[in-house]
Amino acid sequence: MGFFDIFKRKKSDEKVSNEESVIDESQLEENEQVTELEEKDEEEVKEESSENVTIEDEKKTDAEFESEVEELVAKGDNSKEKKAGFLKRLRNGLSKTSNKLVGGIETIFLGKKEIDEELLEELEELFVTSDIGINTTLKIIDAVRDEVSRKVLKNPEDLKNSIKNKIFEILNIDNSLKQVDEKPYVILVVGVNGVGKTTTIAKIAKMFKDNGLKTMLAAGDTFRAAAIDQLQVWADRVDVPIVKQQEGSDPAAVIYDAVVSAKAKGYDVLIADTAGRLHTKYNLMNELKKIVRVVKKEMPNAPHEILLVLDATSGQNAINQAKIFNEAVGVTGIVLTKLDGTAKGGVIVGIVDELKIPVKFIGFGEGMDDLKPFDAKTFVDALFEKND
Ligand SMILES: Nc1nc2c(ncn2[C@@H]2O[C@H](COP(=O)(O)OP(=O)(O)O)[C@@H](O)[C@H]2O)c(=O)[nH]1
Ligand SMILES: [Mg+2]
């Protein structure tokens, strides 16, 4: 199942899709053919899913992959080039965290042939300073200590692999987008000021659009005029419509109007921005609760996703924000931004471990393409990749 298969397949659609010819992946990527993924047969979607590409690519060395990319580009197929570009950006984005964590592990292991208690303590300190969080750090270190005593881990190299696996296991929880059988698919984006909500909305809108889904935005941050203008600029860039009102208007009303409009016009996806600062009159959490209540009047099952945007550079504070927003409105997924700006990207491990709320997207740059659905394997591989 593809990450953007947000609509449940209907029985009648399946019949139709069986008669359809296979859709060329590159055509889909180019967005030339606005064929919705939902109409495709499950097997076709499986074959085309990017996860399969990842597994296949993993067996290749970088050099092999790059020469294959060159060949394909020469033939006019740039789907792999795009993938290579993404991996490079992800690695660059994660380089600070990766240098600290993996570089730190290498330094601790330097000249050591066996695993002793001193080494484990140094690792513990490294994890805490990478913002993995004390609880998660202790969990990982206790588990490896146990493996050492059972002689499962014989040398530092085994230990490194074991740590990588443990981080992968923590991160590898189901983070697919909720599937629904109604339109529009409503996504409410929440988070404190400056974490990257508006930028993230633009990036996600572009992804949906590139996947053939008709997408609309709602300017629910009515606290400042600049916030509305900023979303408008992004909407123009991505080329999607936006529903907005003037500064100071009731965000619940703006978002309600957008739901009605998206429904009437047959839009697939509606992404709503919200304010991140406390109003002078209203409490932010009450405002968010009101937005959810009002949206439910029009669509009882919406918002289908409530995405909390967290800034990776804010470290352990991100965990506190997650607790507060989750209590108020029930967060269904996290978007972790600015992973490119910090050596403390380990915070993602602590967040998922402690809150059990999946990370659905990660942001690693200010560009339109610097956001991806979170994939634990790709992430951990990029993190443990050596950066020179
Ligand atoms: N380096 C980096 N900057 C980001 C990322 N996401 C957002 N930003 C920047 O963070 C700042 C605040 O973003 P904005 O979307 O306005 O945050 P909002 O207040 O939550 O809506 C802007 O300058 C963005 O360009 C990211 O993943 N990496
Ligand atoms: Mg904003």
Side-chain angles (χ1 to χ4, degrees):
M1 193 186 71
F3 193 83
F4 291 95
D5 274 349
I6 53 176
F7 298 115
K8 286 179 191 155
R9 219 176 308 276
K10 293 196 192 90
K11 283 250 152 34
S12 57
D13 288 348
E14 269 169 26
K15 253 187 213 151
V16 177
S17 69
N18 284 341
E19 286 155 22
E20 278 174 4
S21 58
V22 178
I23 296 153
D24 184 351
E25 188 180 8
S26 61
Q27 270 182 318
L28 255 183
E29 287 216 8
E30 293 303 316
N31 199 19
E32 282 168 6
Q33 194 172 340
V34 189
T35 308
E36 289 174 13
L37 287 169
E38 76 193 88
E39 287 174 3
K40 293 195 291 167
D41 183 71
E42 195 137 3
E43 283 311 307
E44 289 170 23
V45 175
K46 245 186 224 160
E47 274 168 32
E48 290 179 6
S49 100
S50 59
E51 284 151 39
N52 288 359
V53 176
T54 313
I55 292 162
E56 175 198 310
D57 290 343
E58 238 119 54
K59 293 181 199 130
K60 293 177 186 141
T61 64
D62 279 3
E64 278 169 345
F65 186 67
E66 266 158 37
S67 77
E68 192 192 334
V69 169
E70 275 165 30
E71 247 172 62
L72 287 166
V73 172
K75 282 191 223 152
D77 174 357
N78 69 348
S79 60
K80 289 223 168 184
E81 185 189 30
K82 278 186 187 165
K83 178 134 188 89
F86 152 62
L87 285 176
K88 213 174 264 177
R89 280 203 315 280
L90 180 65
R91 265 181 223 153
N92 287 343
L94 290 174
S95 63
K96 284 186 190 162
T97 297
S98 175
N99 284 340
K100 174 158 172 79
L101 198 62
V102 182
I105 292 176
E106 305 282 347
T107 310
I108 291 171
F109 286 176
L110 216 62
K112 291 220 169 116
K113 294 225 164 48
E114 49 187 86
I115 309 161
D116 52 20
E117 192 53 33
E118 187 192 334
L119 186 148
L120 292 176
E121 274 170 25
E122 283 175 37
L123 275 179
E124 198 172 292
E125 192 183 327
L126 174 69
F127 286 0
V128 172
T129 54
S130 303
D131 249 344
I132 287 184
I134 187 74
N135 296 339
T136 307
T137 295
L138 291 177
K139 194 168 118 178
I140 295 174
I141 298 292
D142 283 351
V144 294
R145 185 178 282 121
D146 183 54
E147 285 175 347
V148 172
S149 69
R150 285 191 290 118
K151 309 240 182 308
V152 180
L153 306 178
K154 296 199 174 62
N155 53 51
E157 196 54 34
D158 289 349
L159 177 54
K160 195 171 122 184
N161 287 330
S162 167
I163 291 167
K164 186 177 170 184
N165 280 337
K166 288 191 172 47
I167 292 180
F168 171 73
E169 276 165 21
I170 289 172
L171 293 175
N172 194 31
I173 61 174
D174 179 18
N175 71 334
S176 51
L177 293 173
K178 185 177 176 183
Q179 282 198 317
V180 303
D181 48 16
E182 59 181 355
K183 286 179 185 184
Y185 190 90
V186 181
I187 302 175
L188 189 67
V189 178
V190 302
V192 304
N193 218 36
V195 289
K197 287 185 297 301
T198 308
T199 316
T200 296
I201 288 167
K203 291 169 174 175
I204 296 179
K206 181 172 185 291
M207 259 186 233
F208 277 118
K209 195 171 172 249
D210 287 350
N211 279 279
L213 298 167
K214 275 178 78 182
T215 304
M216 183 186 272
L217 306 183
D221 181 357
T222 61
F223 192 66
R224 294 168 302 134
I228 302 168
D229 296 343
Q230 188 196 0
L231 192 68
Q232 177 74 66
V233 169
W234 277 113
D236 292 343
R237 254 183 240 169
V238 183
D239 192 23
V240 292
I242 172 174
V243 170
K244 61 176 184 178
Q245 285 175 25
Q246 69 277 31
E247 179 185 359
S249 50
D250 181 354
V254 176
I255 295 172
Y256 179 83
D257 282 356
V259 173
V260 172
S261 167
K263 212 175 182 182
K265 292 176 181 157
Y267 272 77
D268 298 306
V269 182
L270 172 71
I271 313 176
D273 199 2
T274 60
R277 201 181 299 165
L278 286 178
H279 258 261
T280 41
K281 285 186 196 157
Y282 306 97
N283 172 282
L284 177 63
M285 296 304 152
N286 283 338
E287 185 172 286
L288 294 176
K289 283 182 194 166
K290 182 179 168 189
I291 291 170
V292 172
R293 265 198 322 270
V294 168
V295 166
K296 285 193 185 304
K297 282 192 184 152
E298 184 63 23
M299 292 182 85
N301 295 321
H304 305 100
E305 288 278 354
I306 299 183
L307 298 181
L308 171 66
V309 181
L310 296 172
D311 176 342
T313 65
S314 67
Q316 294 302 294
N317 196 11
I319 296 192
N320 296 333
Q321 289 168 21
K323 285 178 183 159
I324 294 167
F325 278 91
N326 192 35
E327 227 164 75
V329 287
V331 172
T332 62
I334 286 167
V335 182
L336 194 66
T337 61
K338 307 192 193 181
L339 276 165
D340 54 312
T342 179
K344 297 185 160 196
V347 70
I348 196 170
V349 185
I351 288 176
V352 176
D353 188 39
E354 291 211 12
L355 300 169
K356 305 286 183 238
I357 301 174
V359 174
K360 302 225 169 169
F361 296 94
I362 49 172
F364 43 87
E366 291 185 273
M368 188 111 79
D369 294 315
D370 296 331
L371 182 102
K372 282 286 156 183
F374 177 70
D375 173 67
K377 175 133 182 50
T378 312
F379 180 85
V380 173
D381 282 345
L383 196 62
F384 278 76
E385 187 80 20
K386 264 195 198 158
N387 286 284
D388 304 312

